[in-house]
Amino acid sequence: MHIKHRPPNSFLLINPPITDSGHDNPGPRYFPLGLGIIAAVLEKKEYPVSVFDIQIEGLSKKDVTTRLKAILPKHDIVGISAIINSLAYVVWLCAEIKRIKPSITIILGGSICTSVLDLLATKTNCDIFCIGEGEKTIAEL
């Protein structure tokens, strides 16, 4: 009897820009600690993890789309952590991700979910919304 081993799900963690203003984005230019902790939890459980930090790279939406087309085929799950200032961008980003790879699972977390969960549920096509500590939730998922 041969049992086919399925590789573990591959995660892409995304840090979106603070605002929808592109290169003039005034937000901080450092990697968010919470997303780093989630990456560490996933790696400890031996899941492949990649990070796409749009905030630090200061990419235009066109450049983000190009990059997503290249990296989404390698991943099964996308995790996005955002704040309320990112609302318009997150709505666009989730739609773009699903347009490129409709079968991918999107998990949205961060304070944006606590702030406007009902709005996110109607305006995005996210599959899972995480309220509270993401490192606990991701381990359970």
Side-chain angles (χ1 to χ4, degrees), residues 26-67:
R29 300 282 185 194
Y30 55 84
F31 188 73
L33 180 61
L35 213 53
I37 292 170
I38 290 170
V41 168
L42 290 168
E43 286 180 341
K44 187 173 182 181
K45 293 187 173 286
E46 299 184 3
Y47 287 101
V49 179
S50 299
V51 174
F52 181 23
D53 196 333
I54 302 167
Q55 171 68 16
I56 285 179
E57 293 190 44
L59 300 174
S60 69
K61 286 183 176 178
K62 181 180 177 184
D63 291 337
V64 169
T65 296
T66 300
R67 182 86 60 86

Side-chain angles (χ1 to χ4, degrees), residues 41-138:
V41 168
L42 290 168
E43 286 180 341
K44 187 173 182 181
K45 293 187 173 286
E46 299 184 3
Y47 287 101
V49 179
S50 299
V51 174
F52 181 23
D53 196 333
I54 302 167
Q55 171 68 16
I56 285 179
E57 293 190 44
L59 300 174
S60 69
K61 286 183 176 178
K62 181 180 177 184
D63 291 337
V64 169
T65 296
T66 300
R67 182 86 60 86
L68 287 172
K69 286 178 182 177
I71 60 179
L72 284 177
K74 303 170 191 167
H75 300 292
D76 307 299
I77 300 170
V78 171
I80 303 169
S81 179
I83 62 173
I84 188 66
N85 301 41
S86 304
L87 179 62
Y89 195 92
V90 166
V91 169
W92 171 82
L93 180 61
C94 292
E96 195 67 1
I97 289 168
K98 287 287 190 171
R99 184 185 68 76
I100 295 167
K101 187 174 180 181
S103 64
I104 203 158
T105 299
I106 300 175
I107 303 170
L108 181 60
S111 62
I112 193 170
C113 291
T114 304
S115 302
V116 291
L117 181 60
D118 291 341
L119 183 62
L120 291 167
T122 60
K123 297 289 184 188
T124 69
N125 46 10
C126 292
D127 301 290
I128 300 169
F129 298 98
C130 176
I131 297 177
E133 301 304 320
E135 64 272 14
K136 293 177 184 175
T137 303
I138 201 69

